[in-house]
Amino acid sequence: MLTKQTAIQNIRAFNRFYTDVIGLLNKHLLDSDYSLAEVRVMYEISVGKEVQASQIMAAMSIDKSYLSRILKKLEKDGIITKSLSPQDARALSISLTAKGKKLFDTLNKASDHQIGQLIETLSSAQQQELVSHMHSIISILNK
Amino acid sequence: MLTKQTAIQNIRAFNRFYTDVIGLLNKHLLDSDYSLAEVRVMYEISVGKEVQASQIMAAMSIDKSYLSRILKKLEKDGIITKSLSPQDARALSISLTAKGKKLFDTLNKASDHQIGQLIETLSSAQQQELVSHMHSIISILNK
DNA sequence: ATAAAATAGTGGACTTTGTCCACTATTTTG
DNA sequence: CAAAATAGTGGACAAAGTCCACTATTTTAT
């Protein structure tokens, strides 16, 4: 039976390992014109369809001023549109433009491809096992 | 039977989830005088006992100029000592000072504490399961 | 109804973090 | 021993992120 201290050390080792995995997977985004944060903003808009800046802020725990600048850039690039929320004149209603959807889709496919490479040497069974362990971790940590 | 595409989507969901976990755990370091990169450098020196800058570079995939500045700060703060390697006069031999060891130990304990909080509501059995899933992921991905 | 407090977002000014490149000093290779 | 490779430094800059003050609304409490 292992102690809590041992568990902690093992979790830290995993964190170091997985930080590197994530870093590796995200590296390809450096070749795009958009930063990790910008892509994550697009993701939040994409899943929410129509979101307010404050919702993105909450989802990402990002500074509102920083977010404001990101949204400005994305709007300038024609990736998103901002319109005043009808319910609340302080708030913006943000959504991806057709161009934005297309770009996001392209970035997504590139990300998928990266992960595809990560697991390509694994058998189908191993891939399923991997996913299963990930689900378990999420479910344990969400307790 | 799930497809590879489904596996990829699940892995991406896990990555988003775990990125947040890691972000949360690292947040406490913001209160220290040292950045994530600086602490990671201390870690590399600590596990290597006596390392060269080039080894840290390789381990962290960090720019050598950036590393040089980090080491300069750590030396100035009395955290590390740099001495010329006897075998190679181009290279530095770097190690933690007593002060550096103490600091690193303190930071480590704080990190341990963070993880302790993350898992404190879990039963001992659940903690072991968590670690076991983590080990499995490492072992699958290292194939 | 209305004054005070809260919320949504913007922009200025700044710090931190990270990158690129040219350079010196050694060591290795052919 | 000359050419190429390696180790590290520092200048100059770019990217990422933070803090604060501000305007414009909306909500809350009296």
Side-chain angles (χ1 to χ4, degrees):
Chain A
M1 145 86 194
L2 297 169
T3 65
K4 183 173 179 187
Q5 265 312 306
T6 310
I8 289 176
Q9 295 314 313
N10 280 291
I11 292 168
R12 292 190 65 189
F14 177 76
N15 289 353
R16 280 189 293 271
F17 173 83
Y18 213 75
T19 295
D20 283 353
V21 170
I22 290 172
L24 199 66
L25 291 173
N26 286 337
K27 219 164 60 180
H28 78 281
L29 288 176
L30 297 178
D31 302 328
S32 86
D33 293 338
Y34 297 93
S35 70
L36 214 58
E38 286 160 351
V39 174
R40 176 81 192 270
V41 167
M42 291 182 217
Y43 168 80
E44 294 297 336
I45 299 170
S46 176
V47 295
K49 305 286 180 203
E50 184 100 12
V51 294
Q52 294 188 1
S54 58
Q55 293 177 278
I56 301 174
M57 256 181 65
M60 294 179 63
S61 311
I62 193 186
D63 180 77
K64 62 182 174 171
S65 145
Y66 184 29
L67 177 59
S68 173
R69 274 173 257 258
I70 287 175
L71 292 174
K72 196 178 176 183
K73 172 181 172 187
L74 295 181
E75 188 182 31
K76 177 171 148 278
D77 288 3
I79 306 302
I80 63 165
T81 47
K82 297 195 264 185
S83 56
L84 277 180
S85 162
Q87 301 85 14
D88 186 338
R90 292 168 306 181
L92 300 173
S93 183
I94 301 162
S95 48
L96 290 177
T97 61
K99 181 181 174 189
K101 281 177 192 156
K102 203 173 154 195
L103 168 68
F104 183 61
D105 188 59
T106 303
L107 294 172
N108 257 331
K109 287 200 172 114
S111 288
D112 286 357
H113 181 69
Q114 287 301 308
I115 294 183
Q117 293 208 308
L118 181 73
I119 63 174
E120 73 182 350
T121 60
L122 303 179
S123 71
S124 186
Q126 285 173 324
Q127 293 177 3
Q128 303 317 315
E129 273 173 50
L130 178 64
V131 168
S132 155
H133 291 302
M134 289 174 168
H135 277 146
S136 300
I137 288 177
I138 293 176
S139 111
I140 292 172
L141 287 183
N142 274 337
K143 280 193 185 124
Chain B
M1 143 91 194
L2 298 169
T3 65
K4 183 173 178 185
Q5 266 313 305
T6 311
I8 288 176
Q9 296 314 313
N10 281 290
I11 292 168
R12 291 190 67 189
F14 177 75
N15 288 354
R16 280 189 292 272
F17 173 82
Y18 213 76
T19 295
D20 283 354
V21 170
I22 290 172
L24 198 67
L25 291 172
N26 287 336
K27 220 164 60 180
H28 78 281
L29 288 176
L30 297 178
D31 302 328
S32 84
D33 293 337
Y34 297 94
S35 70
L36 214 58
E38 287 160 351
V39 175
R40 176 81 192 270
V41 167
M42 290 183 219
Y43 168 80
E44 294 297 338
I45 299 170
S46 175
V47 295
K49 303 288 178 202
E50 184 99 14
V51 294
Q52 294 189 2
S54 58
Q55 294 178 277
I56 302 174
M57 257 180 64
M60 293 179 64
S61 312
I62 194 186
D63 180 78
K64 61 182 174 170
S65 144
Y66 185 29
L67 176 60
S68 173
R69 274 174 257 258
I70 288 176
L71 293 174
K72 196 176 174 184
K73 172 180 170 188
L74 295 181
E75 188 183 32
K76 176 171 148 279
D77 288 3
I79 306 303
I80 62 165
T81 48
K82 297 196 264 184
S83 56
L84 277 179
S85 162
Q87 301 85 14
D88 186 338
R90 291 167 307 182
L92 301 173
S93 183
I94 301 161
S95 49
L96 291 176
T97 61
K99 181 181 173 189
K101 281 178 192 156
K102 203 172 154 195
L103 168 68
F104 183 62
D105 188 59
T106 303
L107 294 172
N108 257 330
K109 287 200 172 115
S111 288
D112 287 356
H113 181 70
Q114 288 300 307
I115 295 183
Q117 293 209 307
L118 181 73
I119 63 173
E120 73 182 348
T121 60
L122 303 179
S123 70
S124 186
Q126 286 173 324
Q127 293 177 3
Q128 304 316 315
E129 275 172 48
L130 178 65
V131 167
S132 154
H133 291 303
M134 289 174 169
H135 277 147
S136 300
I137 289 176
I138 293 176
S139 109
I140 291 172
L141 287 183
N142 274 335
K143 279 186 185 132

